[in-house]
Amino acid sequence: MSTARPSRGSRGALQNFKKFGAEPPDHAIGRSRGGLTTKNHLVCDGKDRALAFLLTPGQFADTSLMQATLAEIRVPGSAGRPRTRPDRVMADKGYPSKANRTWLRERGIAATIPERDDQIAHRRKKRGRPIDFGDDQKARYRGRNVVERCFGKLKQWRGIAMRSDKLARNYHAALCLAATLHWLTSGISNTS
């Protein structure tokens, strides 16, 4: 009995790009499925205003940067130290991990993060703490579109949408400027 080898055509197309050396780290550009890209890890408030963001090359996993992105939050109040912890974190399926959930639980931050299908299947095989993603969580998760709206506001700037800056610091400065102008034009100066 012989096994059939897949034909060359079923393996997918060959790579059609040529890369001349490694991209310098100060560019924050990396190769992902879409080609050369940059990831913008963003935290925003409930009114779609950016609070913090980090830039990484495109191949970086979302889940590995959640803690660092949340650590960037600094919201000054009328008195005292700036607020650094949100009451709740809503994130998409790119962010669930045991480490992230533990980190949030240790800091008393509620989480609305759906599990990926592979994690649900793995959880069914082994006993463990179940993730409650019932009707209340699903209703809360519908509000996660504020992040997409925040990205949409930032990407109204053509330079941000196209990533036309070569250096990451210039791109980050453009993001800061766009986020600041969005805060100023939102008409609300108090964060409470």
Side-chain angles (χ1 to χ4, degrees):
M1 178 188 237
S2 65
T3 59
R5 284 182 59 193
S7 67
R8 181 153 175 78
S10 65
R11 292 185 193 165
L14 296 174
Q15 295 178 346
N16 60 356
F17 62 87
K18 295 190 180 201
K19 185 163 168 147
F20 302 103
E23 193 69 35
D26 64 339
H27 291 186
I29 297 175
R31 193 159 298 281
S32 68
R33 289 182 185 179
L36 291 174
T37 59
T38 298
K39 276 193 182 174
N40 183 1
H41 305 272
L42 176 98
V43 178
C44 72
D45 66 0
K47 297 176 179 133
D48 73 15
R49 299 174 299 187
L51 297 175
F53 38 83
L54 293 176
L55 297 176
T56 60
Q59 73 270 15
F60 273 53
D62 291 337
T63 191
S64 62
L65 270 283
M66 180 180 182
Q67 297 170 20
T69 308
L70 288 173
E72 292 290 314
I73 296 173
R74 299 278 182 277
V75 180
S78 58
R81 296 184 328 195
R83 185 166 179 192
T84 59
R85 289 187 190 173
D87 295 330
R88 176 172 296 277
V89 169
M90 287 190 281
D92 63 8
K93 289 187 176 186
Y95 290 94
S97 73
K98 191 174 183 180
N100 284 342
R101 290 185 192 278
T102 303
W103 188 83
L104 292 169
R105 202 170 26 253
E106 287 171 353
R107 284 155 183 75
I109 302 171
T112 300
I113 307 172
E115 280 190 304
R116 292 190 306 264
D117 294 337
D118 63 331
Q119 290 176 335
I120 293 170
H122 180 70
R123 187 173 297 283
R124 286 186 181 136
K125 290 179 185 176
K126 292 186 174 184
R127 291 180 178 240
R129 181 178 171 164
I131 302 298
D132 176 33
F133 209 77
D135 294 336
D136 292 341
Q137 289 282 57
K138 288 178 184 175
R140 275 191 211 104
Y141 189 69
R142 286 187 199 112
R144 200 195 69 78
N145 65 14
V146 295
V147 177
E148 306 307 327
R149 289 197 316 256
C150 183
F151 275 120
K153 300 261 176 162
L154 294 175
K155 287 184 176 183
Q156 286 179 356
W157 288 49
R158 186 179 305 166
I160 293 173
M162 293 176 29
R163 175 65 206 278
S164 56
D165 291 310
K166 181 177 182 181
L167 298 178
R169 71 170 183 236
N170 295 347
Y171 186 61
H172 189 267
L175 281 168
C176 289
L177 180 61
T180 302
L181 289 174
H182 177 55
W183 268 88
L184 293 173
T185 58
S186 67
I188 304 167
S189 60
N190 190 0
T191 59
S192 346

